[in-house]
């Protein structure tokens, strides 16, 4: 089906739900979320078979987690008709759809990206057309078909959600030129194309999440959270932890705890050189190693690690452009670097972020409010995730960030938002303004 025809079908479907009330809208979200939750394992298996990226157990959890967390965050939120009244300001806010949303999705998240963006689009009574990555088109097509059938089960039009079955760069670009708003999840080139389409666009920036262990925090817990944050889906999630800076006097304790949490540790330059040669080709990520198990990476480097290793950890002596391990590694490999003062640790993290990953996220293991604020003031990131796995930057029931599959990186990352994408970004709001008593007397200078 041609893009023009898909857009036309989407507009017809939108017209059919234009009279839906809030309960009917939320019912669409409910049946879709339940459908994906119940098919989380088959969809995860299909993604592994098709893309050869990541871990099956984590993909199942990821599919289930996003289905529950995003639905829970959207449930009972107003998105139809009058959504807020502010009597003291004389304002009434009324929600309207943005229109047909174009969602360009990555090979790393072929189910949760269309799911998350689709839930947020439908929350505002929009339609969505997905352009999947060619390497994951089967999984994304199956996901969208499952969501479409869920819509039909409650009498909603299936064409509220559509997918390009044979995607290409050319069709993605045509889609972006044809829709009303774009959500682009992918590399800088894709995001630039979205911003150049002539339509409003939300993009994401690359991740390179740096984390700091403060002197006052429990080393064992930090080691456990770091392994979780680095190992998740074999490191292909943009919010995965990339580095850990630790107090130099805690090195022995930290390394022992990391080993206990199933990190295979390398400290000799000879071994690090072998791993660099495998993970990077001319300074860029080796596509053959992206999302692979740590055992396969070690074997490719001619190294041996325990069969139950969750990640590979490497001790580095430099930061920024002097050390390739300080880049984003879409693999379960964690860089470790000691520091003297907390300010030095933040400076190390900042240098890595300015090389790659500005605007995304950072992690901090600390009980000091002063240090938490200092990190937030100095680091060029949109989120500082404290005492949690950094993957929770994408939103969690245990923090105040809204669950999302699109993490804005602000102007640091050449994005329009520096927050997690939410359904409010996918609605237009009319503000009815009534007269109120003047807020000042015309002389505010006094």
């Amino acid at each position: 089906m041609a893009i023009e025809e898909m857009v036309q079908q989407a507009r017809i479907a939108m017209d059919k739900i234009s009279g839906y009330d809030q309960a009917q809208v939320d019912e669409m979200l409910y049946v879709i979320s339940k459908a994906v939750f119940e098919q989380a394992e088959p969809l995860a298996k299909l993604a592994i078979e098709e893309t050869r990226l990541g871990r099956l157990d984590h993909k199942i959890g990821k599919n289930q987690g996003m289905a529950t967390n995003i639905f829970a965050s959207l449930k009972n939120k107003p998105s139809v008709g009058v959504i807020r009244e502010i009597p003291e300001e004389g304002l009434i806010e009324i929600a309207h759809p943005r229109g047909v949303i174009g969602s360009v999705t990555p090979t790393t998240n072929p189910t949760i990206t269309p799911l998350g963006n689709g839930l947020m689009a439908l929350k505002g009574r929009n339609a969505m057309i997905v352009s999947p990555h060619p390497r994951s088109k089967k999984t994304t097509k199956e996901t969208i078909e499952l969501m479409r059938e869920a819509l039909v089960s409650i009498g909603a039009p299936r064409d509220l959600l559509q997918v390009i079955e044979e995607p290409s760069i050319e069709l993605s670009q045509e889609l972006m030129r044809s829709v009303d708003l774009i959500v682009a999840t992918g590399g800088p080139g894709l995001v630039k194309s979205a911003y150049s389409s002539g339509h409003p666009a939300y993009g994401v920036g690359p991740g390179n999440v740096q984390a700091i262990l403060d002197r006052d925090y429990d080393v064992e817990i930090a080691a456990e959270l770091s392994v979780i944050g680095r190992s998740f889906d074999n490191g292909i999630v943009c919010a995965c932890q990339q580095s850990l800076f630790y107090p130099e006097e805690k090195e022995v304790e930290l390394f022992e705890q990391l080993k206990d949490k199933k990190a295979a540790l390398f400290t000799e330059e000879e071994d690090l050189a072998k791993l660099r040669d495998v993970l990077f080709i001319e300074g860029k990520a080796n596509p053959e190693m992206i999302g692979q198990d740590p055992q396969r990476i070690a074997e490719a480097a001619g190294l041996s690690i325990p069969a139950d290793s969750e990640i590979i950890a490497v001790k580095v002596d430099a930061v920024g452009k002097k050390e390739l391990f300080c880049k984003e590694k879409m693999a379960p490999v964690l860089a470790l670097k000691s520091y003297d003062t907390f300010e030095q640790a933040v400076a190390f993290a900042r240098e890595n972020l300015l090389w790659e990953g500005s605007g995304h996220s950072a992690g901090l293991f600390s009980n000091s409010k002063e240090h938490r604020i200092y990190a937030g003031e100095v680091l060029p990131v949109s989120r500082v995730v404290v005492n949690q796995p950094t993957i929770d930057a994408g939103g969690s029931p245990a923090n105040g960030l809204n669950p999302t599959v699109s993490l804005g990186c602000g102007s640091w990352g050449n994005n329009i938002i520096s927050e997690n994408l939410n359904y409010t970004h996918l609605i237009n709001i009319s503000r009815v303004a009534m007269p109120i008593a003047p807020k000042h007397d015309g002389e505010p200078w006094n």
Side-chain angles (χ1 to χ4, degrees):
M1 186 184 301
I3 298 295
E4 182 180 3
E5 186 178 353
M6 295 178 76
V7 172
Q8 183 180 7
Q9 293 290 91
R11 297 200 190 284
I12 292 171
M14 279 184 61
D15 186 63
K16 291 179 180 178
I17 67 164
S18 62
Y20 271 26
D21 61 21
Q22 192 68 66
Q24 289 173 298
V25 167
D26 287 353
E27 185 182 16
M28 292 193 295
L29 275 56
Y30 172 82
V31 295
I32 286 172
S33 300
K34 284 284 286 183
V36 172
F37 181 88
E38 291 169 357
Q39 295 298 311
E41 184 171 348
L43 290 170
K45 288 180 177 178
L46 182 57
I48 290 286
E49 292 170 2
E50 185 178 20
T51 69
R52 304 295 177 184
L53 301 176
R55 288 175 48 166
L56 177 60
D57 55 341
H58 288 176
K59 286 191 185 298
I60 295 171
K62 189 161 60 170
N63 292 347
Q64 292 175 333
M66 279 300 174
T68 56
N69 292 343
I70 293 183
F71 174 70
S73 74
L74 297 177
K75 182 181 177 181
N76 299 325
K77 298 286 177 63
S79 63
V80 176
V82 175
I83 58 173
R84 187 166 67 146
E85 295 190 44
I86 314 173
E88 65 273 18
E89 296 291 337
L91 290 175
I92 301 173
E93 295 181 345
I94 301 172
H96 303 270
R98 294 291 292 261
V100 180
I101 311 295
S103 175
V104 186
T105 62
T107 188
T108 51
N109 290 315
T111 289
I112 66 167
T113 301
L115 169 65
N117 290 341
L119 290 173
M120 291 183 184
L122 291 176
K123 182 70 175 178
R125 292 178 297 168
N126 302 288
M128 185 181 77
I129 301 172
V130 176
S131 178
H133 192 286
R135 283 184 58 190
S136 55
K137 62 184 181 181
K138 292 180 182 178
T139 308
T140 300
K141 180 179 182 294
E142 184 66 23
T143 300
I144 291 295
E145 191 55 40
L146 188 67
M147 295 165 70
R148 282 161 58 90
E149 290 302 318
L151 289 173
V152 171
S153 72
I154 57 169
R158 69 172 64 240
D159 285 340
L160 286 169
L161 298 170
Q162 299 176 72
V163 62
I164 298 173
E165 296 190 10
E166 294 297 332
S168 65
I169 293 175
E170 293 74 22
L171 287 177
S172 288
Q173 292 175 337
E174 183 181 350
L175 176 68
M176 291 190 286
R177 292 192 299 267
S178 304
V179 295
D180 301 303
L181 184 145
I182 304 154
V183 181
T185 308
L190 169 64
V191 174
K192 184 176 181 180
S193 294
Y195 288 150
S196 302
S197 67
H199 295 284
Y202 293 107
V204 298
N208 186 22
V209 181
Q210 308 296 304
I212 299 169
L213 168 60
D214 205 349
R215 284 185 164 87
D216 69 355
Y217 196 75
D218 186 285
V219 173
E220 181 181 3
I221 296 175
E224 180 180 8
L225 295 176
S226 292
V227 171
I228 292 171
R230 178 65 283 195
S231 66
F232 190 69
D233 210 10
N234 275 345
I236 59 175
V237 176
C238 62
C240 277
Q241 184 177 327
Q242 300 287 338
S243 303
L244 178 63
F245 300 102
Y246 58 90
E248 55 190 1
E249 74 274 11
K250 293 183 180 288
E251 179 170 287
V252 173
E253 182 184 5
L254 175 65
F255 286 8
E256 286 301 315
Q257 290 295 342
L258 285 170
K259 291 176 185 177
D260 187 60
K261 307 304 179 189
K262 300 182 181 179
L265 179 64
F266 292 96
T267 61
E268 299 298 323
E269 176 54 34
E270 181 181 356
D271 295 331
L272 269 62
K274 293 176 181 178
L275 287 165
R276 280 192 207 93
D277 289 344
V278 163
L279 289 167
F280 302 99
I281 299 176
E282 297 181 354
K284 297 182 179 180
N286 177 1
E288 295 298 317
M289 292 296 107
I290 291 175
Q292 300 306 301
D293 294 335
Q295 292 76 13
R296 183 184 173 194
I297 295 169
E299 182 181 2
L303 300 171
S304 178
I305 64 173
D308 63 350
S309 296
E310 292 278 320
I311 67 169
I312 293 170
V314 294
K315 179 186 175 183
V316 300
D317 295 322
V319 296
K321 296 182 179 179
K322 296 177 182 178
E323 176 54 76
L324 282 174
F325 283 120
C326 293
K327 290 171 64 73
E328 181 183 28
K329 304 166 291 297
M330 297 185 71
V333 179
L334 179 69
L336 304 170
K337 174 78 173 72
S338 66
Y339 69 82
D340 181 15
T341 66
F342 184 78
E343 290 75 15
Q344 184 185 48
V346 174
F348 286 161
R350 177 180 170 82
E351 186 170 347
N352 284 354
L353 287 162
L354 291 177
W355 186 23
E356 188 171 66
S358 284
H360 204 290
S361 307
L364 177 60
F365 305 115
S366 175
N367 295 315
S368 167
K369 182 178 180 180
E370 179 183 355
H371 283 181
R372 295 169 183 175
I373 292 173
Y374 180 82
E377 289 177 334
V378 175
L379 294 176
V381 293
S382 300
R383 305 153 201 86
V384 178
V385 181
V386 178
N387 301 344
Q388 306 158 69
T390 61
I391 52 174
D392 285 356
S396 160
N399 68 33
L401 301 171
N402 66 277
T404 192
V405 292
S406 298
L407 288 76
C409 296
S411 58
W412 294 297
N414 197 35
N415 297 162
I416 196 65
I417 58 171
S418 57
E419 59 185 334
N420 290 359
L421 186 76
N422 202 354
Y423 79 97
T424 53
H425 297 113
L426 304 185
I427 58 175
N428 287 317
I429 299 176
S430 296
R431 291 168 177 85
V432 179
M434 293 164 287
I436 60 174
K439 296 179 180 179
H440 62 81
D441 60 3
E443 296 289 337
W445 327 115
N446 300 323

